[in-house]
Amino acid sequence: MNYLAHVLLASHSAPAMVGAMLGDFVKADVSAWPPEMAREITLHRLIDSYTDRHPEVAAARARFAPGRRRFAGIALDVFYDHALSRQWDRHSDQDRAALIADFYRALDSHAALLPPRLAALAPRLIAHDWLSAYADWDGVRISLERMAQRLSRNGELLRDSVLDLETHYAEFSAGFERFFPELQQYVVTTRAAMV
């Protein structure tokens, strides 16, 4: 899952949504973070692990061309935010634009707590409205290009993974629709067990 899905799956308080984002930027022990943020960082990691092990996701990764398969997880994360954006009303009662705006305000209001890499990224993410951009195919392509440019090598393989996403668009979309409700239930159950 990429940023939008993690924000949706988080508790919708400001600290929780920021904690959900921190999951990609905090690799060490979470005990130094405020409890609500720490829970969401931990939950982010559990969501990523669940996603990586899910049969629908494994089947989707196998559809990528062999040379690009090692980047399939990254490409699918972005694609799944696209699929979520396109079918938002199936998965949430909350207005997508309002949730994104709430998240951007939360990220901005917690700027002093953000680790350096996220602190540098957050203003661009907000200014260019990355989370809304996933709804359009160009947003997926641009996101993968941006990520590919940050790689020290083989960035073209990640960039070109958009070809696999286009080729298998219908299959990946259908797989997401089967997978995401199961992930949502997993999050509800896991969050309840964490309290």
Side-chain angles (χ1 to χ4, degrees):
M1 295 292 103
N2 207 35
Y3 303 142
L4 181 60
H6 278 293
V7 169
L8 174 62
L9 294 169
S11 295
H12 291 165
S13 71
M17 289 189 292
V18 172
M21 184 74 168
L22 286 170
D24 280 335
F25 297 89
V26 173
K27 301 301 180 197
D29 179 24
V30 300
S31 63
W33 292 92
E36 192 173 8
M37 288 182 164
R39 272 192 305 278
E40 293 298 333
I41 294 168
T42 300
L43 188 57
H44 178 122
R45 294 172 181 172
L46 293 170
I47 288 167
D48 285 353
S49 180
Y50 177 89
T51 300
D52 290 344
R53 292 188 321 267
H54 197 282
E56 288 289 349
V57 178
R61 280 194 308 266
R63 291 183 183 276
F64 281 73
R68 296 189 291 264
R69 199 163 291 150
R70 73 168 120 161
F71 295 106
I74 297 169
L76 286 169
D77 281 352
V78 174
F79 180 85
Y80 288 159
D81 270 6
H82 170 72
L84 176 59
S85 293
R86 304 288 291 179
Q87 299 296 330
W88 184 266
D89 291 340
R90 288 186 183 184
H91 305 291
S92 178
D93 293 333
Q94 188 162 10
D95 181 75
R96 185 174 67 93
L99 178 64
I100 291 171
D102 288 347
F103 169 67
Y104 289 161
R105 279 190 295 276
L107 200 57
D108 189 52
S109 69
H110 288 82
L113 291 176
L114 303 179
R117 203 171 109 231
L118 180 53
L121 177 73
R124 291 193 314 273
L125 184 150
I126 295 167
H128 298 287
D129 193 11
W130 288 4
L131 272 62
S132 295
Y134 292 129
D136 298 319
W137 189 248
D138 274 350
V140 171
R141 185 183 48 73
I142 291 166
S143 181
L144 291 173
E145 285 176 3
R146 253 192 324 256
M147 291 177 183
Q149 290 170 357
R150 291 195 304 262
L151 295 177
S152 59
R153 58 191 173 112
N154 297 318
E156 72 282 356
L157 296 175
L158 176 57
R159 183 195 64 229
D160 292 347
S161 67
V162 75
L163 301 172
D164 300 295
L165 296 176
E166 289 170 342
T167 300
H168 302 290
Y169 187 96
E171 296 96 327
F172 292 162
S173 295
F176 175 81
E177 289 302 318
R178 291 187 294 269
F179 153 69
F180 196 69
E182 293 178 17
L183 175 60
Q184 288 178 298
Q185 186 54 55
Y186 169 79
V187 169
V188 168
T189 303
T190 303
R191 179 175 282 113
M194 293 172 76
V195 176

